[in-house]
Short mmCIF file of all heavy atoms in Angstrom, two decimals:
data_model
loop_
_atom_site.label_atom_id
_atom_site.label_comp_id
_atom_site.label_asym_id
_atom_site.label_seq_id
_atom_site.Cartn_x
_atom_site.Cartn_y
_atom_site.Cartn_z
N VAL M 149 -9.99 -34.85 78.41
CA VAL M 149 -10.36 -36.25 78.17
C VAL M 149 -10.29 -36.52 76.67
O VAL M 149 -10.91 -35.82 75.88
CB VAL M 149 -11.78 -36.57 78.68
CG1 VAL M 149 -12.16 -38.00 78.33
CG2 VAL M 149 -11.88 -36.34 80.17
N ALA M 150 -9.52 -37.55 76.29
CA ALA M 150 -9.46 -38.00 74.90
C ALA M 150 -10.08 -39.39 74.85
O ALA M 150 -9.54 -40.33 75.42
CB ALA M 150 -8.03 -38.02 74.40
N ASP M 151 -11.21 -39.52 74.18
CA ASP M 151 -11.94 -40.77 74.08
C ASP M 151 -11.52 -41.48 72.80
O ASP M 151 -11.94 -41.12 71.70
CB ASP M 151 -13.45 -40.47 74.06
CG ASP M 151 -14.32 -41.71 74.00
OD1 ASP M 151 -13.80 -42.79 73.66
OD2 ASP M 151 -15.53 -41.58 74.25
N TYR M 152 -10.70 -42.52 72.94
CA TYR M 152 -10.19 -43.25 71.79
C TYR M 152 -11.05 -44.47 71.46
O TYR M 152 -10.55 -45.48 70.99
CB TYR M 152 -8.74 -43.69 72.05
CG TYR M 152 -7.73 -42.60 71.85
CD1 TYR M 152 -7.35 -41.78 72.91
CD2 TYR M 152 -7.16 -42.36 70.60
CE1 TYR M 152 -6.42 -40.77 72.73
CE2 TYR M 152 -6.23 -41.34 70.42
CZ TYR M 152 -5.87 -40.55 71.48
OH TYR M 152 -4.95 -39.54 71.30
N GLY M 153 -12.34 -44.35 71.69
CA GLY M 153 -13.25 -45.43 71.34
C GLY M 153 -13.54 -45.43 69.84
O GLY M 153 -12.62 -45.41 69.02
N PRO M 154 -14.80 -45.40 69.45
CA PRO M 154 -15.13 -45.41 68.02
C PRO M 154 -14.77 -44.09 67.36
O PRO M 154 -14.50 -43.09 68.04
CB PRO M 154 -16.65 -45.62 68.03
CG PRO M 154 -17.10 -45.02 69.33
CD PRO M 154 -16.00 -45.35 70.31
N PRO M 155 -14.75 -44.05 66.03
CA PRO M 155 -14.54 -42.76 65.35
C PRO M 155 -15.57 -41.74 65.83
O PRO M 155 -16.76 -42.04 65.92
CB PRO M 155 -14.73 -43.10 63.88
CG PRO M 155 -14.43 -44.56 63.78
CD PRO M 155 -14.91 -45.15 65.07
N GLY M 156 -15.10 -40.55 66.14
CA GLY M 156 -16.00 -39.54 66.69
C GLY M 156 -16.59 -38.60 65.67
O GLY M 156 -17.59 -37.94 65.95
N PHE M 157 -15.98 -38.54 64.48
CA PHE M 157 -16.45 -37.55 63.51
C PHE M 157 -16.19 -38.02 62.09
O PHE M 157 -15.34 -38.88 61.82
CB PHE M 157 -15.77 -36.20 63.73
CG PHE M 157 -14.27 -36.23 63.52
CD1 PHE M 157 -13.71 -36.02 62.27
CD2 PHE M 157 -13.42 -36.47 64.59
CE1 PHE M 157 -12.33 -36.04 62.07
CE2 PHE M 157 -12.03 -36.50 64.41
CZ PHE M 157 -11.49 -36.29 63.16
N PHE M 158 -16.94 -37.43 61.18
CA PHE M 158 -16.72 -37.58 59.74
C PHE M 158 -16.73 -36.17 59.17
O PHE M 158 -17.68 -35.40 59.39
CB PHE M 158 -17.81 -38.42 59.10
CG PHE M 158 -17.73 -38.47 57.59
CD1 PHE M 158 -16.68 -39.11 56.97
CD2 PHE M 158 -18.70 -37.88 56.80
CE1 PHE M 158 -16.58 -39.17 55.57
CE2 PHE M 158 -18.64 -37.93 55.42
CZ PHE M 158 -17.56 -38.58 54.81
N ALA M 159 -15.65 -35.81 58.49
CA ALA M 159 -15.51 -34.46 57.96
C ALA M 159 -15.34 -34.49 56.46
O ALA M 159 -14.75 -35.42 55.91
CB ALA M 159 -14.30 -33.77 58.60
N VAL M 160 -15.87 -33.48 55.81
CA VAL M 160 -15.75 -33.33 54.36
C VAL M 160 -14.88 -32.12 54.07
O VAL M 160 -15.02 -31.05 54.69
CB VAL M 160 -17.15 -33.16 53.72
CG1 VAL M 160 -17.03 -32.70 52.29
CG2 VAL M 160 -17.93 -34.45 53.80
N LYS M 161 -13.97 -32.25 53.12
CA LYS M 161 -13.12 -31.15 52.70
C LYS M 161 -13.36 -30.90 51.21
O LYS M 161 -13.31 -31.83 50.40
CB LYS M 161 -11.64 -31.46 52.93
CG LYS M 161 -11.29 -31.79 54.37
CD LYS M 161 -11.46 -30.60 55.28
CE LYS M 161 -11.01 -30.92 56.70
NZ LYS M 161 -11.24 -29.76 57.61
N MET M 162 -13.60 -29.63 50.87
CA MET M 162 -13.84 -29.25 49.48
C MET M 162 -12.88 -28.15 49.07
O MET M 162 -12.20 -27.55 49.92
CB MET M 162 -15.29 -28.81 49.31
CG MET M 162 -16.30 -29.95 49.49
SD MET M 162 -18.04 -29.40 49.45
CE MET M 162 -18.30 -28.91 51.16
N THR M 163 -12.83 -27.85 47.80
CA THR M 163 -11.91 -26.84 47.28
C THR M 163 -12.12 -25.49 47.94
O THR M 163 -11.17 -24.73 48.13
CB THR M 163 -12.05 -26.73 45.75
OG1 THR M 163 -11.68 -27.99 45.17
CG2 THR M 163 -11.17 -25.64 45.19
N ASP M 164 -13.36 -25.15 48.29
CA ASP M 164 -13.63 -23.84 48.86
C ASP M 164 -13.34 -23.74 50.35
O ASP M 164 -13.71 -22.78 51.01
CB ASP M 164 -15.08 -23.41 48.58
CG ASP M 164 -16.11 -24.44 49.06
OD1 ASP M 164 -15.84 -25.16 50.03
OD2 ASP M 164 -17.18 -24.52 48.43
N HIS M 165 -12.66 -24.75 50.92
CA HIS M 165 -12.25 -24.68 52.32
C HIS M 165 -11.11 -23.70 52.50
O HIS M 165 -10.24 -23.56 51.65
CB HIS M 165 -11.80 -26.07 52.82
CG HIS M 165 -12.90 -26.84 53.46
ND1 HIS M 165 -13.01 -27.01 54.81
CD2 HIS M 165 -13.96 -27.49 52.92
CE1 HIS M 165 -14.08 -27.73 55.10
NE2 HIS M 165 -14.67 -28.03 53.96
N ASP M 166 -11.11 -23.04 53.66
CA ASP M 166 -10.02 -22.14 54.01
C ASP M 166 -9.00 -22.92 54.86
O ASP M 166 -8.73 -22.59 56.01
CB ASP M 166 -10.56 -20.95 54.79
CG ASP M 166 -9.48 -19.92 55.10
OD1 ASP M 166 -8.78 -19.52 54.17
OD2 ASP M 166 -9.35 -19.55 56.28
N SER M 167 -8.47 -23.99 54.29
CA SER M 167 -7.49 -24.81 55.00
C SER M 167 -6.59 -25.48 53.98
O SER M 167 -6.93 -25.57 52.80
CB SER M 167 -8.19 -25.87 55.86
OG SER M 167 -9.01 -26.71 55.08
N ALA M 168 -5.45 -25.94 54.47
CA ALA M 168 -4.49 -26.58 53.56
C ALA M 168 -5.11 -27.82 52.93
O ALA M 168 -5.78 -28.61 53.60
CB ALA M 168 -3.23 -26.95 54.33
N GLN M 169 -4.89 -27.98 51.64
CA GLN M 169 -5.44 -29.13 50.93
C GLN M 169 -4.70 -30.40 51.33
O GLN M 169 -3.48 -30.43 51.41
CB GLN M 169 -5.34 -28.91 49.42
CG GLN M 169 -5.97 -30.01 48.60
CD GLN M 169 -6.17 -29.59 47.15
OE1 GLN M 169 -6.66 -28.49 46.88
NE2 GLN M 169 -5.78 -30.44 46.21
N ILE M 170 -5.46 -31.46 51.61
CA ILE M 170 -4.87 -32.75 51.95
C ILE M 170 -4.31 -33.36 50.67
O ILE M 170 -4.99 -33.40 49.64
CB ILE M 170 -5.93 -33.68 52.58
CG1 ILE M 170 -6.50 -33.03 53.84
CG2 ILE M 170 -5.32 -35.05 52.90
CD1 ILE M 170 -7.73 -33.75 54.39
N THR M 171 -3.10 -33.84 50.73
CA THR M 171 -2.46 -34.36 49.52
C THR M 171 -2.97 -35.75 49.18
O THR M 171 -3.51 -36.46 50.02
CB THR M 171 -0.93 -34.41 49.70
OG1 THR M 171 -0.63 -35.23 50.84
CG2 THR M 171 -0.38 -33.02 49.94
N ALA M 172 -2.77 -36.14 47.93
CA ALA M 172 -3.31 -37.39 47.43
C ALA M 172 -2.75 -38.61 48.16
O ALA M 172 -3.40 -39.65 48.24
CB ALA M 172 -3.03 -37.52 45.93
N ASP M 173 -1.54 -38.51 48.71
CA ASP M 173 -0.94 -39.65 49.42
C ASP M 173 -1.31 -39.67 50.90
O ASP M 173 -0.78 -40.45 51.66
CB ASP M 173 0.58 -39.66 49.27
CG ASP M 173 1.23 -38.41 49.88
OD1 ASP M 173 0.49 -37.53 50.36
OD2 ASP M 173 2.47 -38.33 49.88
N GLY M 174 -2.25 -38.84 51.28
CA GLY M 174 -2.68 -38.80 52.67
C GLY M 174 -2.08 -37.62 53.39
O GLY M 174 -2.78 -36.81 53.96
N GLY M 175 -0.78 -37.51 53.39
CA GLY M 175 -0.12 -36.36 53.96
C GLY M 175 -0.31 -36.24 55.46
O GLY M 175 -1.39 -36.42 55.98
N GLY M 176 0.73 -36.00 56.21
CA GLY M 176 0.62 -35.78 57.64
C GLY M 176 -0.05 -36.94 58.35
O GLY M 176 0.35 -38.09 58.22
#
């Protein structure tokens, strides 16, 4: 089930994340 109602989450990304950095133009 994919619920496309309101936004479901708010996430924070910081330099110490173990994930690809989101680019300044938004990216992907």
Side-chain angles (χ1 to χ4, degrees):
V149 176
D151 182 344
Y152 281 91
F157 63 88
F158 174 67
V160 167
K161 303 293 184 183
M162 293 175 275
T163 297
D164 55 30
H165 267 255
D166 184 51
S167 59
Q169 184 165 313
I170 301 169
T171 58
D173 62 357

